Amino acid sequence: GHNQEGGPRWAIQVSQRRMEDERMETKPSDEKGELSYHYWKRGGHNQEGDDVGLVQPKKLTHDEANLLHQSSSGSGSLWNAAGTFEEVCVTKWAKGRLEDLLTQVQSKDPHVTIERIKECNGDANLWIVRGKKKCGFDFEITLEWTANVQGEDINGTIKILEASPDTLDELEFEVKAIDNERKQGKHLHTEAVKRARTLATKLEEALNAFYVELQNK
């Protein structure tokens, strides 16, 4: 039939249903618990050059549906599926491994020991770019230590200000002694800090070992 202006009603209906080119409908079917996606594509043009709307939906193959589902579920993307780029967060593993390696560090001075990691802030990632694996990390780490000076146990912290692949050869450490209720003399604190600084070389070695493990992961 025709509308009041004499134009065909189907043309108006089709025009109202226009969608963007190459739009994908990503709602999975519930039938038999299987994935079912339909691919919508804009149709051709009529003799006047006007858009005539959408063709009938084409059901995707099982492999195409699975690939699209991976993209929409956040487990990857069509770009990643081609093996061009992939990123994996390994921060949880990295923090656990750093705790193992750094708390086992032993200084050449037997009177100072690492007690535990107080804070470890940052992240670690693996990337696959065009088939080649890369890795990186960036952490700020604070460890607690105890030093025995003239029979007195003095506690303190040693902070690694920035640990990353770019800084492994020039790590910066901030070493402090912590006052306690007994208020040991200042000279004891100074000696304790001096002893704690001997941990730096071994901490550097442990961080370099961690980087090798990350590269081989």
Side-chain angles (χ1 to χ4, degrees):
H2 292 73
N3 57 19
Q4 293 179 352
E5 288 72 25
R9 292 179 180 174
W10 64 267
I12 296 176
Q13 294 172 348
V14 169
S15 177
Q16 291 173 342
R17 294 177 56 198
R18 288 181 179 176
M19 302 173 71
E20 294 180 357
D21 285 340
E22 304 297 316
R23 177 177 177 183
M24 293 183 181
E25 193 60 43
T26 58
K27 182 178 180 181
S29 169
D30 294 331
E31 295 180 6
K32 299 181 181 179
E34 298 181 351
L35 296 174
S36 179
Y37 292 87
H38 289 79
Y39 177 78
W40 296 83
K41 184 175 180 181
R42 182 175 294 177
H45 297 76
N46 59 16
Q47 294 179 352
E48 289 74 30
D50 293 327
D51 212 335
V52 298
L54 301 171
V55 298
Q56 290 300 313
K58 172 189 173 183
K59 188 170 183 177
L60 300 183
T61 66
H62 180 73
D63 290 341
E64 290 172 333
N66 278 331
L67 190 59
L68 184 57
H69 177 67
Q70 290 175 5
S71 174
S72 62
S73 63
S75 60
S77 69
L78 299 182
W79 180 260
N80 293 348
T84 306
F85 178 82
E86 183 179 356
E87 180 177 15
V88 180
C89 177
V90 291
T91 301
K92 183 177 180 180
W93 169 85
K95 288 185 175 181
R97 196 69 190 110
L98 285 170
E99 183 172 8
D100 292 339
L101 291 170
L102 298 180
T103 55
Q104 291 176 12
V105 163
Q106 295 182 343
S107 169
K108 62 182 181 180
D109 186 337
H111 300 291
V112 60
T113 56
I114 295 289
E115 298 294 339
R116 69 184 185 96
I117 288 183
K118 182 179 180 181
E119 293 181 353
C120 183
N121 300 314
D123 52 55
N125 294 279
L126 299 175
W127 299 278
I128 298 176
V129 182
R130 299 189 180 281
K132 296 182 180 180
K133 185 171 71 174
K134 299 182 179 181
C135 63
F137 64 93
D138 190 354
F139 287 103
E140 182 180 273
I141 306 167
T142 302
L143 302 107
E144 294 181 348
W145 51 264
T146 299
N148 186 278
V149 181
Q150 298 179 13
E152 292 282 349
D153 284 338
I154 299 175
N155 301 317
T157 60
I158 180 167
K159 178 183 285 188
I160 306 171
L161 299 180
E162 181 184 359
S164 71
D166 294 334
T167 63
L168 289 180
D169 294 332
E170 48 185 22
L171 291 168
E172 293 186 35
F173 298 87
E174 183 179 275
V175 185
K176 294 181 179 180
I178 300 174
D179 289 333
N180 61 23
E181 294 178 356
R182 287 181 291 178
K183 299 289 183 183
Q184 299 104 324
K186 184 177 180 180
H187 69 287
L188 295 182
H189 284 190
T190 300
E191 180 62 25
V193 168
K194 181 179 178 181
R195 292 187 173 185
R197 288 188 184 280
T198 64
L199 293 165
T201 300
K202 294 298 183 180
L203 290 173
E204 287 179 354
E205 293 177 1
L207 284 167
N208 275 279
F210 163 77
Y211 185 35
V212 172
E213 288 189 20
L214 181 61
Q215 289 174 308
N216 295 327
K217 187 170 175 61

